[in-house]
Amino acid sequence: MIKKLSLAVIGGTAAGMSAALKARSLLPNLQIAVFERTNYVTHGSCGIPYYIGGEISDYNELITYTPVFLREERNIEVYVGHEVTEIDLNKRIITIKDLQTGKIANNIFKKLVIATGASPIVPKIPGIDSPLVHKVRTIEDSLKIKNDLEKGFVKKVVIIGAGFVGLEMAEALSKWNIEVILLEALPTILPRTNPVLVKLIEDEITKNGVKLYKNTRVNKVVSDIKNKKAEVFTEDGKQFDTNMIIASIGVRPNSQIAETARISVGKTGGIVVNEYMETNIDNIWACGDCVQMQHLVSGEPCWYPLGPTANKQGKIVGENVVGGKVSFSGVLGTQVTKIFDLYVAMTGLSEIEVQKFGYDTALVEISHRDKASYYPNRQNVHIIMLINKSNGRILGVQLAGSVLAALRINVFATAIATGMTVKKLAELDLAYEPSMAPVYDPILISGIIGLKELKRIRK
Amino acid sequence: MIKKLSLAVIGGTAAGMSAALKARSLLPNLQIAVFERTNYVTHGSCGIPYYIGGEISDYNELITYTPVFLREERNIEVYVGHEVTEIDLNKRIITIKDLQTGKIANNIFKKLVIATGASPIVPKIPGIDSPLVHKVRTIEDSLKIKNDLEKGFVKKVVIIGAGFVGLEMAEALSKWNIEVILLEALPTILPRTNPVLVKLIEDEITKNGVKLYKNTRVNKVVSDIKNKKAEVFTEDGKQFDTNMIIASIGVRPNSQIAETARISVGKTGGIVVNEYMETNIDNIWACGDCVQMQHLVSGEPCWYPLGPTANKQGKIVGENVVGGKVSFSGVLGTQVTKIFDLYVAMTGLSEIEVQKFGYDTALVEISHRDKASYYPNRQNVHIIMLINKSNGRILGVQLAGSVLAALRINVFATAIATGMTVKKLAELDLAYEPSMAPVYDPILISGIIGLKELKRIRK
């Protein structure tokens, strides 16, 4: 007999479980089943580098709720280790594979939420399937990495891909006093990031002993699994011996299952949803890292696999599946990454994007202390701001500095969300306290300099 | 012969010197004279507690420019130790007293900027003029306090007035390992601050050994100057022996000189200026702690003696005195105070003010961690938010917590400045990074809870 589900949710991380929990809180008797491919739900993958690095000693701390809790206290049927392999739109059936037993089951759904998330892209090169090669996404990934580290055989690690995950892993692995080699295929790391900030990041990792090689594309991995050794070969003829390889060249939305079912997928690779997070199919919603989003500044489709967005979207879906009509307005892609002692933050459009979308922009670069001139341990906040020349509005901001710098990104995110001009930014009544801000906050300075730059250009 | 001045500026701190320097940068040949009552210019009084407490060892660090620098490098005539005692509007003359020699001079001015700042209110009680009683406003004040502390005779200090200055001084003086007694005349400290936050402040100072007495009004000081001892008597019959008394019951605008000259002074005690910082008299501007401001939320007159406002207003006046037409939009009174390890921040209207102005408000109180649930050393951010029931707009926010909490006040200040609703606040795309923010930032939580509260009320 085919089981019938009132609400089926594919994926039990941020978006999927937010949807399930919100629906539960609104409809206490709704039958809800959540299928999660890994063995964990509600885990924060942003915390993985901290678990690897040792700031967090127990991986259970990365997990908000256990399946047992969700079943017993929230009456949500949670199936971990279960992968949904197919969606049949005609029969309204999902096919579920128990990954442990291999058993296949078909369930009829009335309503469906797709929250399949994103997966690391693994470079297609010989030898990449070696057990010495690790991804960084799931709790299982992090357990494998930590397990190898704890065994003590890892003297050298090669990280393939110097994106933000690669950089965070470089820091985390450095804490094990092992040699960390970071390989980037492109001529520059972080192409969305302003070169001034990239230079700060490169200086920070180099200062901390990480060996960065740019323009270095890996084309082969040869493993000696018995002796826990591998050789990493690159296109330009370099060769690195190592005991651990981290593949972190990027992530992509898990939208294949939707695409196969003919649910609409956009040019970003994410599932297309409207403002209510509805797909093009009745009674099927999607949310989180698997969906395409709309950028609040450009109005263009974009894709940012970020936790706060996934959580917010999941909650909205949870409300809408039980009859609500809540909308999601869009994203700015606000994000912060900590790389050793340097925080890098961004919100809104980057230089690549303003070019792509044809904005006529002014770029302002400032560097200003994060505390009063006389206060000890002050550091500079480096701010790059992009301004729409035609109307003075802020299009995007990237900054780097201490944690005090990083928190300032939220003011820019708030300003951009309201379409604020640099003039208005310069007028904001912001706080001054010698230990956390100079009398002219760096945010105000960026507004003042931005205004000056616009005046200069318009002359 | 009476000297003629193209631009006379009364007061050489934040506002006055900002005006002079801005005017200078725009008109290299303008004759500018600045008269400053104390012996220092461009000093930051917000840094004084840090100088007393020892975080800053040299008071010169509190000073941005010396008179010599300003004369030689900026061609500004700076007269320190010179008090302007009278403004004659008919003759366009200011009377200046050299405080060292007692000499009086009259100068004709073409344009005048009044930036006389604010002064501590000294309670009118017998014995308050004792040399053991100190104010906290000028560099001279701080030198006297530190001098007495360094002599080593101070074993006990009594601080009269538990406002933010009194609290900051309590912390600063605690660093000298002396007994700190803090007396507040009113039944509660900080009447503009929400009681939940007041409780946190009281706990913080008490934990750090400060003895706080509320409802304790001082009515007499008896000094034994030779033996560096004093007795502080209170209305309710208490008696405190001490070696140092700090009078910090409040500050008021130095608008007397303007009022005497019949320049318009408002009900807040501050000089009335329009949006261009012009007084009611042609070619006379006023800026900084001596002026009345307009509140950005209520539109009502208000008075906040705060550094960033003084600096911004000064700069605007500097532009307008040389023919500019720049406006100052108003204030939110955004401020942060550090009290031992607790930061307290506020922006917009307080509970007292929303009552006074008749807003129908909802009050939201939340307490949420400032980092991810699993990240070490997290602390709670306590947020009190006032919402306009009729339109959902945020009227004011007060919060307390770590420095990470304090910096979040700027997001609220930005939100309030744009008339943001709690709904929009809850939708903001803010940054998540485990070491500086949970996935739902406390700011978002306050928006979510605010929205819920409005829905509950409207039902």
Side-chain angles (χ1 to χ4, degrees), chain A residues 46-47 50 56 61 308 311-312 332-334 336 343 374 410-411 414 418 420 428-429 431-433 435 439-440, chain B residues 46-47 50 56 61 308 311-312 315 332-334 336 343 374 410-411 414 418 420 428-429 431-433 435 439-440:
Chain A
C46 301
Y50 291 113
I56 302 156
E61 292 193 38
N311 276 280
K312 279 182 212 150
L332 290 173
T334 311
V336 170
Y343 283 82
Y374 49 76
N410 287 337
V411 173
T414 308
T418 61
M420 191 173 282
L428 285 176
D429 191 356
Y432 162 49
E433 207 288 329
S435 71
V439 70
Y440 277 106
Chain B
C46 301
Y50 290 113
I56 302 156
E61 293 192 40
N311 276 279
K312 278 183 213 147
K315 217 168 142 191
L332 290 172
T334 311
V336 170
Y343 282 82
Y374 50 76
N410 288 337
V411 173
T414 307
T418 62
M420 192 174 281
L428 284 177
D429 191 356
Y432 161 49
E433 207 288 328
S435 70
V439 70
Y440 277 105

Side-chain angles (χ1 to χ4, degrees), chain B residues 138-273:
Chain B
T138 64
I139 295 284
E140 281 90 344
D141 293 338
S142 64
L143 292 176
K144 280 183 202 155
I145 294 169
K146 198 145 186 181
N147 191 35
D148 277 9
L149 289 167
E150 281 168 349
K151 282 183 186 155
F153 67 81
V154 182
K155 306 296 173 204
K156 273 192 194 180
V157 60
V158 170
I159 301 171
I160 307 175
F164 283 118
V165 172
L167 291 162
E168 287 182 347
M169 287 304 292
E171 178 190 352
L173 292 163
S174 292
K175 302 210 165 130
W176 289 81
N177 287 318
I178 60 182
E179 197 181 330
V180 178
I181 293 155
L182 186 53
L183 307 182
E184 172 57 51
L186 301 175
T188 174
I189 66 168
L190 306 171
R192 277 192 80 237
T193 307
N194 176 277
V196 172
L197 306 189
V198 167
K199 177 71 169 57
L200 293 172
I201 296 166
E202 291 185 359
D203 289 350
E204 182 71 14
I205 59 170
T206 305
K207 194 179 77 185
N208 282 282
V210 174
K211 296 194 180 92
L212 172 66
Y213 295 84
K214 291 180 283 192
N215 256 323
T216 300
R217 190 180 293 273
V218 174
N219 63 0
K220 192 167 65 172
V221 173
V222 176
S223 299
D224 170 1
I225 294 161
K226 201 179 126 197
N227 293 308
K228 311 271 188 200
K229 280 182 182 172
E231 295 285 333
V232 175
F233 296 87
T234 70
E235 271 183 5
D236 59 340
K238 287 196 209 78
Q239 189 177 335
F240 301 92
D241 61 298
T242 178
N243 316 100
M244 173 181 271
I245 297 160
I246 305 286
S248 56
I249 63 167
V251 286
R252 68 177 143 219
N254 290 327
S255 53
Q256 191 59 53
I257 189 175
E259 199 164 18
T260 306
R262 309 242 174 127
I263 294 167
S264 181
V265 167
K267 60 182 177 184
T268 63
I271 299 168
V272 174
V273 287

Side-chain angles (χ1 to χ4, degrees), chain A residues 29-49:
Chain A
N29 297 317
L30 180 72
Q31 183 210 10
I32 307 175
V34 177
F35 303 94
E36 166 60 36
R37 196 166 51 163
T38 74
N39 292 310
Y40 304 90
V41 288
T42 67
H43 54 281
S45 58
C46 301
I48 289 176

